[in-house]
Amino acid sequence: LLRDQGVATVDMDVICWHTAKGTILKILKKKWFLLMSLFRAKDTYNRQRLPIDTLRAVLDRADVGMSTSLVQILLGNLNAEDDGHIDYDKLLSGKLKSGSFPMDVYTAYKTMEQSWETLSQHFLEYDLNGDGRVNHEEFRIALRNLQHPALSDYTVIADLIKILDPDGDPTAKDTSNRPQPTDNINFDKFSWDMARTDLKQVVEQRGRDMLSAFRKEATRQFEHFEGELPRDKAIDAIQKALLDTGVKVILVNILVSRAETHAREDGKGSREVGRIQEAQLSKTLREIAGDSFEKAEETTLRDSFMVMLRASKLSAMDNWRLR
């Protein structure tokens, strides 16, 4: 029909894009958080780039809700680099071949990530009961305090809250047939996701020193806390062990907060006073450094056992058996 009207060539990619654009952008705006999580899970080295086949496999998932034909049209509107990789941050930011499209909530979330240290400090101040959560109003105040244009729109903040507290709906009617909406955001998880990369190197290099410092302080305070340590004393002991590394105080705070989370999950320690045990700190360090720390921890335990063995008054036979 177009040729009959004198149009010499037809760019089918352009026609397909303009036909499907509304549906594709609607899905991207709705599923950006899921897509971001899936892309990052595939991005081992955190380069914000993925091969086009990996990108296609993620977009083609049933829970994304994009048909195979829509995926193909979207991929045709992305700028691939020379090695065939695609910057998925540009996709989530709405920067496509045919132009830029507003992705305000994703931009706001990225701003949160870039300011995570300041935000985490605010959240820790608001978290008076130490459960790792803040309510929606405290969350809004913390974002407003950043004074960033991307975090100034009330609607965008409301959408962020829906992502971070999916069970919370302040407008929900009170009915007997459904649970009451929540009013809390798990900032511990957000802070932990942000901090663990920065903590990895120091834990790999000094994890044993951190455990040793905790153990020594717990031993010194055994009469008061029976082998556990309150949050403030744990932070103080770890900071002293890392004094020469220049590690930021907020990172140590987040590390101990994560150990407290494990304490609550284990049902051990005293939740009211925020005490943690060496086992929960050790579990947190293993989360960061994986096998490399686990092997170092085994060496530490073995060395500690040998010190106790040398100090014991066992027969030569029993000593040999224990070794």
Side-chain angles (χ1 to χ4, degrees), residues 273-312:
V273 295
R275 295 184 194 177
I276 61 173
Q277 300 173 353
E278 183 182 338
Q280 290 137 12
L281 176 59
S282 176
K283 185 176 182 179
T284 303
L285 298 180
R286 285 200 302 275
E287 276 189 281
I288 297 171
D291 291 344
S292 61
F293 176 73
E294 206 156 341
K295 290 173 182 174
E297 187 182 16
E298 287 172 5
T299 303
T300 301
L301 291 171
R302 190 182 301 112
D303 291 347
S304 298
F305 177 75
M306 296 307 290
V307 170
M308 289 189 289
L309 192 59
R310 283 193 293 271
S312 65

Side-chain angles (χ1 to χ4, degrees), residues 212-229:
S212 177
F214 183 96
R215 187 181 303 120
K216 286 177 181 176
E217 184 62 17
T219 302
R220 195 174 71 83
Q221 302 272 359
F222 190 86
E223 184 179 345
H224 302 291
F225 307 116
E226 299 180 335
E228 300 173 344
L229 281 181

Side-chain angles (χ1 to χ4, degrees), residues 188 192-193 195-197 199-200 202-204 207 210-211 214 238 251-266 276-291 293-294 297:
D188 257 1
W192 175 248
D193 289 342
R196 62 189 303 170
T197 302
L199 282 165
K200 185 175 174 62
V202 72
V203 169
E204 287 178 339
M210 294 159 73
L211 267 186
F214 183 96
I238 293 170
L251 292 176
V252 178
N253 270 271
I254 291 169
L255 184 76
V256 173
S257 292
R258 184 65 174 181
E260 284 183 294
T261 299
H262 290 313
R264 290 192 293 271
E265 291 170 349
D266 295 343
I276 61 173
Q277 300 173 353
E278 183 182 338
Q280 290 137 12
L281 176 59
S282 176
K283 185 176 182 179
T284 303
L285 298 180
R286 285 200 302 275
E287 276 189 281
I288 297 171
D291 291 344
F293 176 73
E294 206 156 341
E297 187 182 16

Side-chain angles (χ1 to χ4, degrees), residues 11 62 64 101 133 165 191 208 213 247 252 259 267 279 283 296-297 299:
D11 190 332
V64 173
F101 305 91
R133 297 173 183 273
D165 182 17
S191 297
R208 291 177 64 180
V247 67
V252 178
K283 185 176 182 179
E297 187 182 16
T299 303

Side-chain angles (χ1 to χ4, degrees), residues 83-115:
D83 59 0
H85 285 63
I86 288 177
D87 185 336
Y88 61 80
D89 180 64
K90 288 183 179 178
L91 164 61
L92 295 172
S93 300
K95 297 172 183 174
L96 309 177
K97 274 184 187 177
S98 53
S100 295
F101 305 91
M103 294 288 286
D104 296 336
V105 185
Y106 175 70
T107 303
Y109 188 83
K110 287 280 290 181
T111 303
M112 279 178 56
E113 290 187 324
Q114 290 160 4
S115 307

Side-chain angles (χ1 to χ4, degrees), residues 11-68:
D11 190 332
M12 290 305 297
D13 284 344
V14 173
I15 293 175
C16 288
W17 169 250
H18 283 287
T19 304
K21 178 175 71 173
T23 304
I24 290 174
L25 291 179
K26 185 177 180 181
I27 293 172
L28 289 178
K29 286 176 181 291
K30 185 177 181 181
K31 296 296 181 78
W32 69 268
F33 191 78
L34 171 64
L35 288 170
M36 180 189 73
S37 302
L38 294 172
F39 290 151
R40 288 180 174 180
K42 299 286 185 182
D43 185 10
T44 308
Y45 300 104
N46 194 30
R47 294 173 178 168
Q48 294 190 170
R49 302 164 65 253
L50 288 173
I52 192 166
D53 288 340
T54 303
L55 213 69
R56 180 184 287 108
V58 170
L59 291 169
D60 216 14
R61 284 172 51 123
D63 50 353
V64 173
M66 199 177 292
S67 67
T68 303

